Amino acid sequence: MITDWHTLNREPSLPGLYARAATRRKITGSTLPCAGLRCWVEVDAKRLAAYRKVCGFTDNGLLPPTYPHILGFALQMQLLTAKDFPFPLLGLIHLSNRIRVLRPMGGVSRARVSVQVQNLQPHAKGATFDLLTSLDDQLGCLWEAESRMLCRGVKLEGEPVEDDCTPTRALSEIERWKAPADIGRQYARVSGDYNPIHLSAASARLFGFPTAIAHGLWNKARTLAALAGHLPIASVEITAQFKKPVRLPSEVTLLASEPGASGDFRLVGAGDLEHMVGHWRPLA
């Protein structure tokens, strides 16, 4: 599919996009738009510092490997609330996330973010698509990611294809941490992601959840912060599958293989409840 790129002069305003998302509750089609959005963005030092604090990253002079998602969030929102996007944003489920850090992300103060959607596929519960995001500087692509999203209720022909990130290496406990009741609100303030299922038990119940749940990308960011000494800083691909949600508040345990060019990890809760599994691999 050839992408029809549109370049914006500034980042979109999130309040208006949330208002648009709140009014769209119906599936309007089964074809993804070919339009993509691009915009140059500034890295705000205070916002970056607040993100590091919420997610547990130390300041090593590099952008955290998950931070470009924050830089691209407003563009993602605009793309997913556009009139030609067929699925309602509220209710989409984040199934997995793959990040590729191509070069060390040090000294990045301004970069171009690009977002698009591709790869509509049947799923046992509906249909999935990939939300693609990339970050470029003056030398080319620094970082890229695929977030696989599920929309329930969509019917497509074909057999579902399931990815598998089941760890194959021996894992040992790395760290335990508590996900406090307000971590969804803390993460929303630094990310812009104010999805009601993460903010409070009352707002989560409106969408069928008994309690608020942690953002999947907070779980991944907190995990990568704990694994900072395990992974390369660049030329690495990091994949995570989101399993059972982390209900708030709760305590989780991170298990991982030995440091190296490749490795596996699991995030589990009480009773070995599996919240997230994943791996890191060197880029080919």
Side-chain angles (χ1 to χ4, degrees), residues 9 40-43 107-112 135-138 142:
N9 293 325
W40 284 90
V41 300
E42 307 290 334
V43 177
V108 180
S109 59
R110 187 170 185 265
R112 187 182 70 172
L135 191 73
D136 295 72
D137 64 6
Q138 299 289 355
L142 271 172

Side-chain angles (χ1 to χ4, degrees), residues 24-70:
R24 295 192 56 188
R25 297 298 180 91
K26 294 183 179 180
I27 296 169
T28 58
S30 58
T31 304
L32 296 177
C34 61
L37 299 178
R38 285 174 169 163
C39 183
W40 284 90
V41 300
E42 307 290 334
V43 177
D44 182 274
K46 290 184 178 179
R47 187 182 184 192
L48 175 57
Y51 177 85
R52 285 190 175 115
K53 183 177 180 180
V54 169
C55 298
F57 289 103
T58 59
D59 185 355
N60 62 354
L62 304 172
L63 291 186
T66 47
Y67 194 70
H69 280 297
I70 309 306

